[in-house]
């Protein structure tokens, strides 16, 4: 896992960019992402009424549910409510979900980071 853009030593209203690159990242991520956090990421959607039925949108989701799955491969399923979207077909307030998989990158925003979360981030940034 790669983490970038650590703001103000994880004080309030701060965010980190996270890049997932191996299966050992998922258990760590499962400890970091909590209900009430905001994730900004690009999602892929289909809408058959559009000329090009597959489109991508950058959304901010208020996390409502997380599910860490190990079988058949490590992944985390996130369900949340859209708080911001750059695409007219994804409305604010709508429920959306996406899967965090290898190669995924996103921004994780928290109102306040607890000490355990700060320690996890520090460990990823500065492994022994």
């Amino acid at each position: 896992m790669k983490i970038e853009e650590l703001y103000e030593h994880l004080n309030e209203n701060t965010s980190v960019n996270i890049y997932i690159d191996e299966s050992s990242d998922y258990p760590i991520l499962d400890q970091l992402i909590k209900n009430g956090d905001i994730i900004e990421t690009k999602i892929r959607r289909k809408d058959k009424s559009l000329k090009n039925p597959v489109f991508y949108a950058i959304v901010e989701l208020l996390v409502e549910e997380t599910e860490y799955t190990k079988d058949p491969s490590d992944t985390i399923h996130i369900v949340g409510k859209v708080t911001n979207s750059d695409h007219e077909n994804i409305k604010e307030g709508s429920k959306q979900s996406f899967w965090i998989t290898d190669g995924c990158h996103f921004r994780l925003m928290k109102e306040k980071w607890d000490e355990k979360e700060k320690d996890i981030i520090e460990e990823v940034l500065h492994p022994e």
Side-chain angles (χ1 to χ4, degrees):
M1 179 182 321
K2 295 177 193 144
I3 295 180
E4 296 177 349
E5 294 187 34
L6 189 61
Y7 297 119
E8 300 300 316
H9 303 292
L10 296 175
N11 290 331
E12 281 141 38
N13 295 317
T14 59
S15 63
V16 293
N17 284 342
I18 298 177
Y19 298 85
I20 305 304
D21 53 13
E22 54 189 60
S23 61
S24 62
D25 296 343
Y26 297 96
I28 297 167
L29 204 53
D30 190 43
Q31 295 178 56
L32 284 177
I33 300 175
K34 304 290 181 220
N35 291 355
D37 293 347
I38 294 177
I39 293 179
E40 179 185 71
T41 192
K42 183 189 281 189
I43 59 173
R44 178 180 185 264
R45 292 294 179 260
K46 290 182 182 179
D47 184 340
K48 292 179 182 169
S49 69
L50 298 175
K51 185 177 177 184
N52 295 319
V54 175
F55 67 92
Y56 294 87
I58 296 174
V59 296
E60 287 182 9
L61 285 177
L62 178 64
V63 176
E64 295 180 342
E65 298 173 37
T66 63
E67 180 187 5
Y68 171 38
T69 307
K70 295 180 184 182
D71 194 27
S73 61
D74 285 298
T75 185
I76 295 179
H77 184 231
I78 305 288
V79 177
K81 193 174 286 186
V82 176
T83 59
N84 194 9
S85 170
D86 74 346
H87 198 284
E88 61 196 28
N89 286 22
I90 307 240
K91 304 290 184 213
E92 287 184 23
S94 67
K95 273 207 174 185
Q96 297 288 329
S97 69
F98 73 101
W99 296 89
I100 296 174
T101 58
D102 290 359
C104 186
H105 63 276
F106 58 92
R107 180 178 301 248
L108 176 60
M109 298 174 261
K110 291 181 175 280
E111 225 172 84
K112 186 160 178 61
W113 296 81
D114 67 29
E115 289 304 315
K116 182 179 177 188
E117 293 163 342
K118 290 178 188 179
D119 291 345
I120 292 169
I121 297 288
E122 276 302 310
E123 178 63 31
V124 171
L125 285 171
H126 308 289
E128 292 179 13

